[in-house]
Amino acid sequence: MAATKIAARGYVFQIGVGATPTWTSIGGLTSFSVNPGDHDAHTESTDFDSNGQYEEIVLQRGGSIKLEGRRKIDKATGAADAGQAAVDALAQGLADNSIGQIRFRHSSETQWRVWNCTAKSTEQGGGTNDLGKWGAELARTGAETLVAAP
């Protein structure tokens, strides 16, 4: 089969909630960007034996995800979207409580990409005629794993 274009809206992002994670979808997303090269550390390794040619090695790999969307709440209870609330809670964690798990894939893919990650809340708000904005940045900590999607 020939390769085909895919819609970005087909991506699913879930955050693990609890010690044995219950995977909770992050609702309200309008855009995302995955940067698999973020936080990489390259070190120059050029020496006299390099004969004037630049050389380097990579000593660290990283990655990050930026999520943006609309703030969602249950108007009857005031509760935030469960996935957004879990990301917001992770973004407030310190030490061991600052590391959580996220998984993501396109709906056409058969494997989840799973990251241990830290989170940082990004700008939120809006103008007179805007819907409320929500966002977060996630930084991978450790290696990515792949898990079969059910």
Side-chain angles (χ1 to χ4, degrees):
M1 179 182 281
T4 185
K5 298 172 186 166
I6 59 173
R9 69 175 168 260
Y11 275 86
V12 178
F13 291 85
Q14 296 180 336
I15 185 166
V17 177
T20 304
T22 299
W23 292 103
T24 305
S25 290
I26 302 168
L29 296 179
T30 57
S31 69
F32 71 92
S33 61
V34 177
N35 183 346
D38 200 14
H39 306 293
D40 284 2
H42 301 249
T43 298
E44 181 183 353
S45 60
T46 308
D47 58 25
F48 290 166
D49 298 330
S50 302
N51 294 316
Q53 300 300 312
Y54 175 81
E55 294 179 353
E56 75 174 22
I57 60 174
V58 179
L59 296 174
Q60 172 179 295
R61 295 285 183 193
S64 66
I65 299 172
K66 290 182 182 178
L67 301 174
E68 293 182 344
R70 309 279 186 236
R71 169 70 68 191
K72 292 184 87 173
I73 63 167
D74 180 326
K75 289 184 180 180
T77 65
D81 171 83
Q84 289 181 1
V87 172
D88 290 342
L90 180 60
Q92 297 303 310
L94 296 172
D96 291 343
N97 294 325
S98 70
I99 300 173
Q101 281 192 313
I102 190 168
R103 69 181 186 179
F104 59 99
R105 69 181 180 94
H106 189 269
S107 59
S108 66
E109 295 176 317
T110 59
Q111 291 184 314
W112 289 102
R113 295 170 64 183
V114 181
W115 290 8
N116 288 338
C117 62
T118 60
K120 175 174 78 171
S121 294
T122 58
E123 289 185 16
Q124 301 180 23
T128 302
N129 294 318
D130 296 334
L131 295 174
K133 187 167 97 170
W134 176 88
E137 292 180 12
L138 307 166
R140 194 181 84 213
T141 177
E144 174 180 279
T145 57
L146 299 175
V147 176

